[in-house]
Amino acid sequence: MKETIGTYGIWNGGGLRGEDPALRGERAEAAAELEELGFGAIWLGGSSSAANAAPLLEATSRLVVGTSVQSIWDHEPKTAAASFTELNTAHPGRFTLGLGVSHAKLAEQYRRPYSALVAYLDALDAAGVPAGARVLAALGPRTVELARDRSAGSIPYLVTAEQTAKSRELLGEQPLLAPELKVVLESDPTRARALARDSLAVYLGLPNYTNNFLRNGFTQDDLKDGGSDRLVDAVYAWGSEDGIRARIDEYLAAGADHVALQLVDGGPRYDLPREGWRRLAALLG
């Protein structure tokens, strides 16, 4: 998988995973342009599924499309396996099933998430979904180890470069490590941090993320008032083009094989920020 997804991908929880049939053509054009710009993968947020990935795969020839993530509570494993098989048959090796346990606030049936994830992987094994075609949204050490042992690797969300290094240590050399990183194409500190805090607010209400921050050296004070400068600067890349590139490189130096870049610009969720993606591709060289 490392060879097929390249070093940089685009993470998008809005426009690219949208389901409005009137915008299907625009989504296809955007995906094709991302492939032309040199990105190796598109990662679809918002408990996405094979159905969201299919039109993007049809519109491209090399790009890998992954769910980031598909909630185990929203999709029965037999259904997920059947969808995977159908899509992988049509586009061999280009669909990656990214799985996660979501959050207690978002899933009524949320119980014993680690055990539920293990059982889900068991069911996928029984249905013939290869471990090498799936990845886990792993934050805590136990889930990172599960990603190492039962999947192609880890696609952690909202993590620092320092945590990326810890995950690489747990994973070992071979498994994929593809963290998501939010990018604000803004050099003014006040404006950049304001945009970052607007997007960070929803995550500060989810214990899986706040507990992960606390586990990785942040304090309760860092979680107040929309997040401290220290927290914002650790999980967002902003500044000059050189500064943003340097922040992305920190994740690669920490052991990431691939970085899934999420553009944060304050626009409506289902917009397709194509000019921003062009700027991002240009600064990556």
Side-chain angles (χ1 to χ4, degrees), residues 16-160:
L16 287 173
R17 73 165 301 278
E19 298 176 359
D20 184 347
L23 299 177
R24 183 176 178 127
E26 188 175 353
R27 290 193 295 273
E29 288 178 8
E33 183 179 15
L34 287 173
E35 183 173 72
E36 291 174 6
L37 288 170
F39 293 103
I42 290 173
W43 300 94
L44 300 175
S47 191
S48 48
S49 68
N52 300 115
L56 307 181
L57 290 167
E58 291 166 5
T60 55
S61 60
R62 304 179 308 278
L63 204 69
V64 172
V65 181
T67 54
S68 179
V69 295
Q70 181 172 293
S71 169
I72 65 170
W73 314 107
D74 291 346
H75 302 271
E76 291 293 329
K78 287 185 179 180
T79 303
S83 298
F84 168 84
T85 300
E86 180 180 358
L87 201 52
N88 190 56
T89 300
H91 307 281
R94 295 181 56 216
F95 175 60
T96 298
L97 183 60
L99 299 167
V101 298
S102 187
H103 304 272
K105 290 185 177 182
L106 304 179
E108 289 183 8
Q109 62 272 59
Y110 193 93
R111 300 287 188 281
R112 300 182 65 199
Y114 181 85
S115 297
L117 181 56
V118 170
Y120 200 97
L121 295 175
D122 291 342
L124 291 181
D125 287 345
V129 176
R134 64 198 189 207
V135 288
L136 304 184
L139 290 179
R142 289 180 72 204
T143 312
V144 173
E145 291 172 346
L146 185 66
R148 177 194 66 202
D149 298 338
R150 301 287 305 274
S151 80
S154 175
I155 51 168
Y157 187 87
L158 200 63
V159 295
T160 64

Side-chain angles (χ1 to χ4, degrees), residues 139-141 163 166 207-218:
L139 290 179
Q163 185 177 349
K166 294 177 183 177
N208 287 7
Y209 291 125
T210 54
N211 290 339
N212 186 59
F213 289 144
L214 295 173
R215 187 167 55 235
N216 283 279
F218 294 97

Side-chain angles (χ1 to χ4, degrees), residues 183 185 240-242 244-245 248 278-285:
V183 178
L185 296 173
S240 66
E241 291 189 357
D242 287 345
I244 291 171
R245 176 63 187 265
I248 296 169
R278 292 173 194 137
R279 289 180 58 194
L280 194 51
L283 73 85
L284 291 171

Side-chain angles (χ1 to χ4, degrees), residues 147-225:
R148 177 194 66 202
D149 298 338
R150 301 287 305 274
S151 80
S154 175
I155 51 168
Y157 187 87
L158 200 63
V159 295
T160 64
E162 289 76 14
Q163 185 177 349
T164 299
K166 294 177 183 177
S167 294
R168 173 50 72 198
E169 201 171 318
L170 286 173
L171 285 170
E173 184 178 346
Q174 292 305 317
L176 175 72
L177 180 54
E180 174 268 355
L181 174 62
K182 296 171 179 57
V183 178
V184 183
L185 296 173
E186 174 62 60
S187 58
D188 176 76
T190 301
R191 173 67 176 157
R193 288 181 177 134
L195 287 168
R197 287 189 174 97
D198 282 346
S199 77
L200 183 61
V202 63
Y203 305 113
L204 292 180
L206 297 172
N208 287 7
Y209 291 125
T210 54
N211 290 339
N212 186 59
F213 289 144
L214 295 173
R215 187 167 55 235
N216 283 279
F218 294 97
T219 69
Q220 289 291 348
D221 285 342
D222 287 308
L223 308 181
K224 295 177 181 177
D225 303 319

